[in-house]
Amino acid sequence: DDVAPQLRAMVGDRSVDAVGVNGGALHALWTLHLLGAADMETIRTALSHPAAGVRRAAAEVMPRNEEGLGMILSSSVLKDSDARVRLRALLAVSEMPRSEEAGRALYALASDSFILGDRWLPDALTIAAARHALAFLRAALADPASPTGATPHELAPKLEIENADHPGWKSLTYAGKAEFTFDAAVSHSGRTSMRIASAEGADASWQARIPVEPQREYRLTAWMKCENLARPGIGGRGALVNVRGAPIETPEIIGTTDWKRVTTTFNSEDRTLLDLNLLFGGGGKCMGTAWWDDVSVTKVDPFSRLNGILRGAATAWAATAKPEELHGLHVLLESKSPVAEMIASALFPPAGNSRGPSLEKLAETHQILKLTTAPNLQFEPKRLQAQPGKPIAIVFENPDLMLHNLVVGKPGTLQIIGQAANALAAQPEAIARSYVPALPEVLASSPLINPHGTTIVILPALAAGDYPFLCTFPGHWMLMQGSLNVQQ
């Protein structure tokens, strides 16, 4: 330890050689660190050293505590001209105590072209942002000028559906029997659409191979409609679009619907080619008819990696975040901006589709009713109809970006349940109870349902009457309510 003063003096030597290196200062700093004698003032000196190697070493030896975090944030190493210095500074921040200031500072870097244009710095920023994610995501959601809202540039024109020869598309049948048609009588735009139909059940697809650039952010979009599309057995999902061999797919549609736009955003990773599938069935057979039109794959530029950073930070944080922290983002998620959509999809990924067979089984003994959330804290429909004397199964879907629940009460108890929910919201156990008050007036309830999630609420056979239903998430029930009318 008696050499520490001389070592500190060497770190303070700001001279560099012809290639910008000061080997003595670099080794002196590491020697002090391994002796346990690297004081904060010496590290501060090293953070501003003309030699990039010394600045990088300073970030590496920096204590992983609040003082060290403050020193990095007050220096310029997060905006250093040397990519390796930035890399080590970001990784150091990822190991330090969670901080509101750090989250905001990291978001300020998220549109930095120096970082977005590098191979490794977006990954380092994602790791650091995941550590300070609550403040990072708040800053992203509160930023009205977020570049993720930019219109994506077309990779190519819409995948060709109009030409008589229809180049590039091939039909594939995996199970059952399907009919493939370029339908000149039905289209979303232009003259034709692509159609798959099956009377007896099929698992099939139209497929096209398209080139992409590796490590780029893309958005897949299509318009779909269906008529009497049903799942005759286990596994069938409906109509959707996916990429073969990759976890890239749009939401599915089922039943009878008019044209509906579906979209998903993904990173091409190391791929240079994608096999795009317009799926009919999607892992099992479906019966009925489905159409696809205006299929496109667009490259999101110039901030393609920013999307990945936001989603990566949100996904990593959601794995360990406390429920109250997740709920704390809800007001900002309500903005339904492109950033909110992206962050919500990462925080609350849609559950796998496993309710088809159970619904079919329930339909043998229960009345099946469908209820969804709607914009501005509403249910759709506001009034459900059922008959007395037969159990009821309500399929509750939440396409909103906020969490919601469904609580069904006895006739005339709306105010009682709502006021009890208000009182419960202030209690520590409220989240664990999904904000459902423990009252005899409550006949049935769901847990909190994630954005894009679905659940089934079971009710016994009810006598004739009007049964209120409501969402008891704090602040919702005064607007988000309806009635289940049971009558012969």
Side-chain angles (χ1 to χ4, degrees):
D1 291 351
D2 59 340
V3 297
Q6 294 98 312
L7 292 170
R8 293 189 185 105
M10 292 179 72
V11 174
D13 174 9
R14 299 179 67 82
S15 63
V16 295
D17 64 15
V19 291
V21 171
N22 184 325
L26 172 66
H27 296 304
L29 180 60
W30 275 110
T31 306
L32 283 167
H33 173 64
L34 294 170
L35 286 172
D39 62 287
M40 295 301 287
E41 192 54 42
T42 300
I43 296 174
R44 187 191 306 277
T45 298
L47 277 177
S48 62
H49 199 283
V54 178
R55 299 195 301 274
R56 184 172 75 246
E60 291 181 291
V61 306
M62 179 73 69
R64 275 29 177 182
N65 55 27
E66 291 182 0
E67 186 180 6
L69 178 60
M71 189 174 290
I72 282 186
L73 294 178
S74 63
S75 72
S76 59
V77 288
L78 288 175
K79 296 182 179 180
D80 202 278
S81 59
D82 187 285
R84 293 167 298 176
V85 175
R86 289 209 199 193
L87 178 70
R88 291 302 170 186
L90 286 167
L91 293 178
V93 171
S94 77
E95 298 173 343
M96 290 176 173
R98 290 179 173 86
S99 158
E100 189 79 19
E101 183 184 0
R104 292 194 299 267
L106 292 169
Y107 179 69
L109 298 173
S111 57
D112 186 331
S113 59
F114 185 99
I115 289 179
L116 297 177
D118 187 80
R119 170 62 187 88
W120 301 109
L121 289 177
D123 295 341
L125 179 56
T126 303
I127 294 167
R131 177 66 172 175
H132 307 275
L134 189 55
F136 179 84
L137 297 175
R138 279 180 183 151
L141 289 165
D143 180 7
S146 173
T148 58
T151 303
H153 300 302
E154 288 287 347
L155 168 69
K158 288 180 296 189
L159 299 177
E160 189 58 69
I161 294 175
E162 303 300 331
N163 285 349
D165 296 331
H166 311 294
W169 290 102
K170 62 180 180 179
S171 59
L172 299 170
T173 302
Y174 313 107
K177 185 176 180 181
E179 173 189 321
F180 299 85
T181 312
F182 288 88
D183 194 336
V186 177
S187 67
H188 177 258
S189 69
R191 298 187 303 275
T192 62
S193 65
M194 302 178 75
R195 174 180 178 268
I196 301 178
S198 178
E200 62 189 51
D203 185 11
S205 75
W206 286 105
Q207 187 179 99
R209 176 164 288 184
I210 60 171
V212 293
E213 298 174 25
Q215 305 301 332
R216 291 289 186 178
E217 206 75 17
Y218 288 94
R219 186 170 298 159
L220 164 61
T221 303
W223 286 84
M224 304 191 300
K225 73 174 286 186
C226 57
E227 184 175 289
N228 300 324
L229 191 60
R231 311 178 183 103
I234 296 175
R237 300 171 60 192
L240 64 151
V241 184
N242 85 342
V243 173
R244 189 184 72 176
I248 303 166
E249 65 180 30
T250 68
E252 68 265 19
I253 62 173
I254 197 74
T256 298
T257 69
D258 200 355
W259 286 106
K260 181 178 181 181
R261 179 178 179 270
V262 294
T263 185
T264 186
T265 305
F266 63 93
N267 189 284
S268 59
E269 297 179 347
D270 294 329
R271 302 178 183 89
T272 57
L273 292 172
L274 299 180
D275 286 327
L276 193 66
N277 285 300
L278 312 184
L279 286 176
F280 181 96
K285 294 181 181 179
C286 277
M287 297 187 300
T289 307
W291 293 264
W292 294 260
D293 202 355
D294 296 340
V295 182
S296 67
V297 177
T298 57
K299 183 168 63 178
V300 185
D301 277 333
F303 298 100
S304 58
R305 290 192 175 181
L306 175 55
N307 300 348
I309 293 168
L310 284 167
R311 279 206 311 274
T315 302
W317 177 64
T320 57
K322 297 176 182 177
E324 55 267 28
E325 292 175 326
L326 287 169
H327 297 175
L329 289 176
H330 279 190
V331 172
L332 293 171
L333 288 175
E334 265 196 305
S335 68
K336 295 181 171 60
S337 64
V339 177
E341 294 274 2
M342 183 188 308
I343 291 174
S345 68
L347 292 177
F348 311 109
N353 185 0
S354 60
R355 61 180 176 83
S358 62
L359 260 186
E360 293 171 3
K361 191 71 176 175
L362 279 171
E364 298 174 5
T365 55
H366 289 65
Q367 304 173 75
I368 307 297
L369 308 180
K370 293 188 177 180
L371 184 68
T372 69
T373 60
N376 303 316
L377 298 181
Q378 299 292 317
F379 284 113
E380 178 64 38
K382 284 182 165 295
R383 190 171 178 85
L384 296 172
Q385 295 286 149
Q387 294 186 359
K390 185 177 181 181
I392 299 167
I394 302 176
V395 180
F396 177 43
E397 298 183 349
N398 179 26
D400 197 12
L401 294 186
M402 297 186 70
L403 274 74
H404 296 291
N405 66 12
L406 175 63
V407 178
V408 183
K410 295 178 181 178
T413 62
L414 176 67
Q415 295 293 325
I416 295 172
I417 297 173
Q419 290 168 9
N422 288 347
L424 175 62
Q427 303 303 314
E429 72 274 13
I431 295 174
R433 287 169 53 179
S434 291
Y435 297 107
V436 178
L439 295 175
E441 286 82 1
V442 173
L443 292 175
S445 65
S446 76
L448 287 170
I449 304 303
N450 285 342
H452 311 297
T454 301
T455 192
I456 300 174
V457 176
I458 304 296
L459 287 159
L462 300 175
D466 276 318
Y467 296 80
F469 58 82
L470 62 158
C471 171
T472 58
F473 188 90
H476 288 194
W477 76 270
M478 290 295 292
L479 294 173
M480 203 165 179
Q481 54 182 256
S483 65
L484 168 59
N485 179 246
V486 179
Q487 64 178 3
Q488 191 63 39

